[in-house]
Amino acid sequence: MSARIYQNQKNALQSGKALTHIWVLEYAPAEAKQADPLTGWAGSGDTQQQLRLNFPSQEAAIAYAQKQGVAYTVIATPPKTLKLQAYADNFR
């Protein structure tokens, strides 16, 4: 069982930064999803895949994973780049 630890990103369509400080631990899928023959919906017997744990800091998420004996991968948050552009640049 393995997990990934990452920080929430701001959606491109949102201007606010709410919940971007939270660190998330998600378990990797242990088995592939299969289509149900009756309904056609995709599902699996892996219940760990449904868990999404929130932590106030990266250290807290790592401490939890180590305490539970879960192999983890920390995904670094990419740096935010701001493209400053004037309205007049649209007409060049």
Side-chain angles (χ1 to χ4, degrees), residues 2-35:
S2 64
R4 65 184 183 132
I5 297 172
Y6 63 93
Q7 192 172 22
N8 276 339
Q9 292 274 340
K10 183 179 80 73
N11 189 339
L13 301 176
Q14 296 174 338
S15 61
K17 295 182 183 178
L19 302 178
T20 58
H21 61 280
I22 294 176
W23 286 84
V24 178
L25 183 138
E26 283 185 345
Y27 289 97
E31 61 183 54
K33 291 186 178 183
Q34 299 173 353

Side-chain angles (χ1 to χ4, degrees), residues 32-55:
K33 291 186 178 183
Q34 299 173 353
D36 186 308
L38 182 62
T39 62
W41 293 0
S44 78
D46 181 23
T47 57
Q48 293 283 1
Q49 196 174 355
Q50 300 171 5
L51 286 177
R52 181 180 169 138
L53 303 173
N54 296 330
F55 295 93

Side-chain angles (χ1 to χ4, degrees), residues 58-91:
Q58 178 183 2
E59 292 79 20
I62 291 173
Y64 175 82
Q66 289 174 348
K67 182 178 178 183
Q68 297 298 322
V70 176
Y72 62 90
T73 304
V74 176
I75 301 173
T77 306
K80 297 175 183 159
T81 58
L82 185 61
K83 182 180 177 185
L84 297 176
Q85 182 177 352
Y87 180 69
D89 292 341
N90 293 334
F91 303 103

